[in-house]
Amino acid sequence: MQRLRAAVIGGGIGGLAAAIALRENGLSAVVFEKAQELREIGAGVVVRANGMRALASIGARSAVGEVALPVRCRPPQMWHGDSLSPDADPHGNGTLESPVVYPAHRGELQRVLKEQLPSEAVRLGHTLERVAEDEDGVEVFFANGEHERFDLVIGADGIHSVVQGCIGEPVLPEGQGIMAYRGLVPAERLVGKAETARLCQWLGQDRYFITYPVCRGRLLNVVASVPNTLPEGSWSAPGDIADFAREYEDWHPEVRRVIDAMDHTFRWGIYDRPPLSRWTSGRVALIGDAAHAMLPYLGQGVNTAMEDAVTLGVLLAGADTGELAGRLRMYEDVSRDRIHRIQQSSRRMGRIYRDARLGADDRRERMAAELQGGSWLAGHDAERTARSALAQLVRAGRSLENSR
Ligand SMILES: Cc1cc2nc3c(=O)[nH]c(=O)nc-3n(C[C@H](O)[C@H](O)[C@H](O)COP(=O)(O)OP(=O)(O)OC[C@H]3O[C@@H](n4cnc5c(N)ncnc54)[C@H](O)[C@@H]3O)c2cc1C
């Protein structure tokens, strides 16, 4: 049987993980990325237990472990310092007695994933313009004039996905009137002034403030959500430290000390998209933000993108071209309900985070109710779920044959 050839559009964390997963499962996969070089804006991302499990499934767990060290979470606090119980751990790790997460610098995570692929499997400077599918394959067309034919296309091109608009009515991102200040601080500047070893978060008054160590503890990543001041139509922009500090001027002194230690910050609009009616069409499938952009309140965007990669890899292993459309539909069927639940729960969690009227007790209760223990989030095993769906398909095929 000939190896199926896949084009993965987008070299973000989802696209790179998908290419690794497909190659691990016997397909050939090439990543097409519009940027001329793979370089993430300096900021962190938190990989959680379900993301680490997905990385283990594609053989990248130990390499990523070098840049995403385990970090414990301090129980969340109110803006003035009162502690919320660990039952309200918004990270939903399912192990609330030992909430451990794996923060990484995005650039480092991307680099490590890229290193798992042969260099010819990542082609930079390729901006996808359109996808044209016929009975025998899919043609991808790029802004540089190149075009190429593949057996299938994976759209991992993020919240503004061009691939999504090629397989259905384009669904536009929706803003929630919020943005995040983000940035990195050398941890040595904060010795004796702020906690730098654990993930810490403060909630209150339309805002949250989160810090966690990245780059082996050398840097502290800061992400802080505030009402949106970005100009209309702008997705990100440099930020001003003095403006940032004003947003948090009456917050706990530890928060203010972290902002004071920053040299630079940038502003990042926060958007999601309502659940799409479909993620696949024939030989084309969407993954990650292209399929299910979500608000960051459960910290699952990257983690679910990596789950998608694993699910696709397992379901496409050994498939022939005649089975492709069915296997892609299966990917969507296996994943969609869980991911839509996460998208909707992230929106509700965002409202709880930002509700100025909620005191510590009400907040704790509502967060715990939303999380329901958290194991449905971080306990998920994408590989096991996909394998059991595939086994069911095989069993159903056998019983159909036996009944003939
Ligand atoms: C403030 C904030 C904090 C967050 N924190 C977390 C967190 O802690 N944990 C977590 O799991 N998630 C987090 N997220 C969400 C997470 O960042 C996203 O869900 C994740 O990056 C999506 O990955 P992706 O690969 O699907 O898309 P992207 O990362 O958006 O990658 C898409 C890639 O496709 C490329 N591309 C786009 N269009 C084209 C085209 N036409 N042709 C070729 N290439 C193209 C882009 O250049 C990009 O490289 C956070 C988000 C925000 C805003």
Side-chain angles (χ1 to χ4, degrees):
M1 195 168 65
Q2 254 207 322
R3 284 208 315 165
L4 290 178
R5 293 185 66 237
V8 178
I9 309 300
I13 289 157
L16 294 171
I20 299 169
L22 295 177
R23 294 174 81 98
E24 282 280 304
N25 283 285
L27 285 83
S28 112
V30 181
V31 176
F32 293 98
E33 164 58 46
K34 72 176 177 186
Q36 295 293 346
E37 62 176 314
L38 278 191
R39 194 167 51 91
E40 274 283 358
I41 302 178
V45 66
V46 179
V47 181
R48 298 172 192 281
N50 55 318
M52 276 301 189
R53 209 169 288 117
L55 288 163
S57 296
I58 60 172
R61 167 78 171 77
S62 64
V64 170
E66 293 291 313
V67 297
L69 300 183
V71 159
R72 297 180 72 82
C73 300
R74 190 164 85 179
Q77 287 166 275
M78 293 296 285
W79 60 279
H80 40 65
D82 277 5
S83 191
L84 273 77
S85 120
D87 292 350
D89 167 28
H91 297 288
N93 291 293
T95 50
L96 296 177
E97 69 289 352
S98 170
V100 170
V101 293
Y102 303 84
H105 186 284
R106 277 172 182 263
E108 289 193 348
L109 180 55
Q110 220 173 0
R111 173 181 56 75
V112 167
L113 291 177
K114 182 169 176 274
E115 283 168 3
Q116 308 303 303
L117 293 164
S119 57
E120 69 276 10
V122 180
R123 297 200 212 153
L124 302 175
H126 282 73
T127 304
L128 181 90
E129 283 192 332
R130 71 189 171 92
V131 169
E133 185 181 350
D134 57 43
E135 275 186 10
D136 303 321
V138 208
E139 188 104 9
V140 284
F141 295 86
F142 297 99
N144 60 10
E146 289 181 27
H147 57 99
E148 196 168 334
R149 209 169 163 73
F150 288 88
D151 295 307
L152 69 151
V153 169
I154 307 300
D157 50 344
I159 191 167
H160 305 288
S161 174
V162 172
V163 182
Q164 190 272 320
C166 295
I167 67 166
E169 245 342 271
V171 176
L172 296 179
E174 289 181 2
Q176 309 287 320
I178 43 174
M179 65 172 195
Y181 277 103
R182 303 171 86 177
L184 297 163
V185 197
E188 62 188 16
R189 289 190 194 165
L190 291 164
V191 176
K193 296 182 181 165
E195 162 110 40
T196 55
R198 287 188 291 177
L199 183 147
C200 301
Q201 57 184 324
W202 292 262
L203 317 175
Q205 297 179 321
D206 266 342
R207 287 158 180 73
Y208 71 68
F209 191 92
I210 300 181
T211 61
Y212 51 81
V214 294
C215 300
R216 300 194 149 262
R218 224 172 15 84
L219 298 171
L220 192 71
N221 183 77
V222 179
V223 51
S225 151
V226 298
N228 197 352
T229 57
L230 284 165
E232 180 83 25
S234 168
W235 291 85
S236 62
D240 183 77
I241 300 282
D243 291 343
F244 184 7
R246 252 191 307 280
E247 297 276 4
Y248 291 88
E249 63 192 359
D250 52 358
W251 281 46
H252 191 268
E254 196 178 340
V255 167
R256 290 185 275 121
R257 286 194 289 263
V258 172
I259 301 174
D260 284 348
M262 294 175 79
D263 291 327
H264 309 285
T265 182
F266 59 99
R267 294 172 292 160
W268 197 272
I270 296 189
Y271 295 81
D272 68 357
R273 283 194 307 194
L276 302 183
S277 58
R278 61 179 189 171
W279 303 354
T280 62
S281 161
R283 292 165 177 264
V284 182
L286 306 172
I287 67 163
D289 276 11
H292 45 69
M294 55 185 69
L295 296 179
Y297 294 96
L298 293 177
Q300 280 291 338
V302 152
N303 292 284
T304 49
M306 296 189 295
E307 284 183 5
D308 293 344
V310 170
T311 307
L312 270 178
V314 169
L315 295 180
L316 290 174
D320 60 34
T321 46
E323 291 169 309
L324 256 181
R327 294 289 178 96
L328 292 182
R329 245 191 339 269
M330 194 173 189
Y331 148 71
E332 180 172 340
D333 291 345
V334 163
S335 317
R336 201 182 37 212
D337 288 354
R338 166 183 155 73
I339 303 277
H340 284 179
R341 180 178 172 196
I342 298 176
Q343 280 181 294
Q344 281 156 345
S345 180
S346 299
R347 279 194 173 185
R348 286 193 298 271
M349 191 60 108
R351 286 196 283 274
I352 301 171
Y353 261 77
R354 300 192 303 272
D355 191 336
R357 296 160 307 173
L358 288 179
D361 287 346
D362 288 342
R363 211 175 277 259
R364 173 172 55 238
E365 258 174 45
R366 292 192 48 191
M367 287 166 111
E370 194 58 53
L371 290 168
Q372 296 183 2
S375 59
W376 65 280
L377 278 172
H380 186 72
D381 185 333
E383 180 180 354
R384 197 175 54 208
T385 307
R387 286 203 189 287
S388 101
L390 201 54
Q392 260 178 11
L393 182 78
V394 172
R395 274 198 301 276
R398 275 206 208 107
S399 65
L400 195 66
E401 270 173 28
N402 293 340
S403 67
R404 279 195 187 127

